[in-house]
Amino acid sequence: MKHVGKIISDLRAEKEMGQKELAALLNLSLSTISNYETGVHSPDFDTLRKVADLFHVTVDYLLGRTGFRCSLEDLKENVTPDHTISNFIDAILALDADSRTFLLDFALYLQKCQSESQ
């Protein structure tokens, strides 16, 4: 399991952000960010919350408790005028395993069709 510092480092790299830039955004020193990323120190709860908000992930994701990145605010986002991401997730979880597999296959098919038409 990855430690919180490695996860922060990975998120920072995905955004092509340097340690110095992250430190400035969090109002921390460069050495503090470096210490987090190398596992010398761990961020306090307030810093974890700020990092989660900055990278649009959950604190549980930062702590390595889940691989699911989506923040609670993202779950409230409408994907259609009448449905949120959370509504979609609830509907999927209510399906049996075969139906979930069919739904995923269908979604991947739609994604392929969309990319081919662009």
Side-chain angles (χ1 to χ4, degrees), residues 38-56:
T38 58
V40 173
H41 297 292
S42 294
D44 61 25
F45 181 75
D46 190 50
T47 302
L48 283 172
R49 183 183 50 76
K50 289 176 184 176
V51 171
D53 289 347
L54 180 67
F55 291 111
H56 303 286

Side-chain angles (χ1 to χ4, degrees), residues 3-6 33-42:
H3 66 83
V4 64
K6 174 65 174 141
I33 299 300
S34 178
N35 285 337
Y36 291 163
E37 292 188 4
T38 58
V40 173
H41 297 292
S42 294

Side-chain angles (χ1 to χ4, degrees), residues 6 32-34 51 62 66 90-91 93 96 114-116 118:
K6 174 65 174 141
T32 298
I33 299 300
S34 178
V51 171
L62 289 176
T66 180
D90 290 342
L93 292 175
D96 61 44
Q114 183 178 356
S115 65
E116 289 175 355
Q118 291 178 1

Side-chain angles (χ1 to χ4, degrees), residues 99-113:
S99 296
R100 287 182 193 173
T101 300
F102 176 79
L103 182 61
L104 179 59
D105 289 344
F106 185 66
L108 292 171
Y109 168 76
L110 291 174
Q111 186 178 34
K112 180 181 174 189
C113 289

Side-chain angles (χ1 to χ4, degrees), residues 4-48:
V4 64
K6 174 65 174 141
I7 294 169
I8 291 171
S9 174
D10 291 348
L11 289 168
R12 186 178 53 73
E14 284 177 17
K15 299 286 186 190
E16 298 180 358
M17 178 187 296
Q19 285 184 338
K20 188 175 182 177
E21 183 180 354
L22 179 59
L25 289 169
L26 297 174
N27 199 27
L28 298 170
S29 70
L30 178 60
S31 63
T32 298
I33 299 300
S34 178
N35 285 337
Y36 291 163
E37 292 188 4
T38 58
V40 173
H41 297 292
S42 294
D44 61 25
F45 181 75
D46 190 50
T47 302
L48 283 172

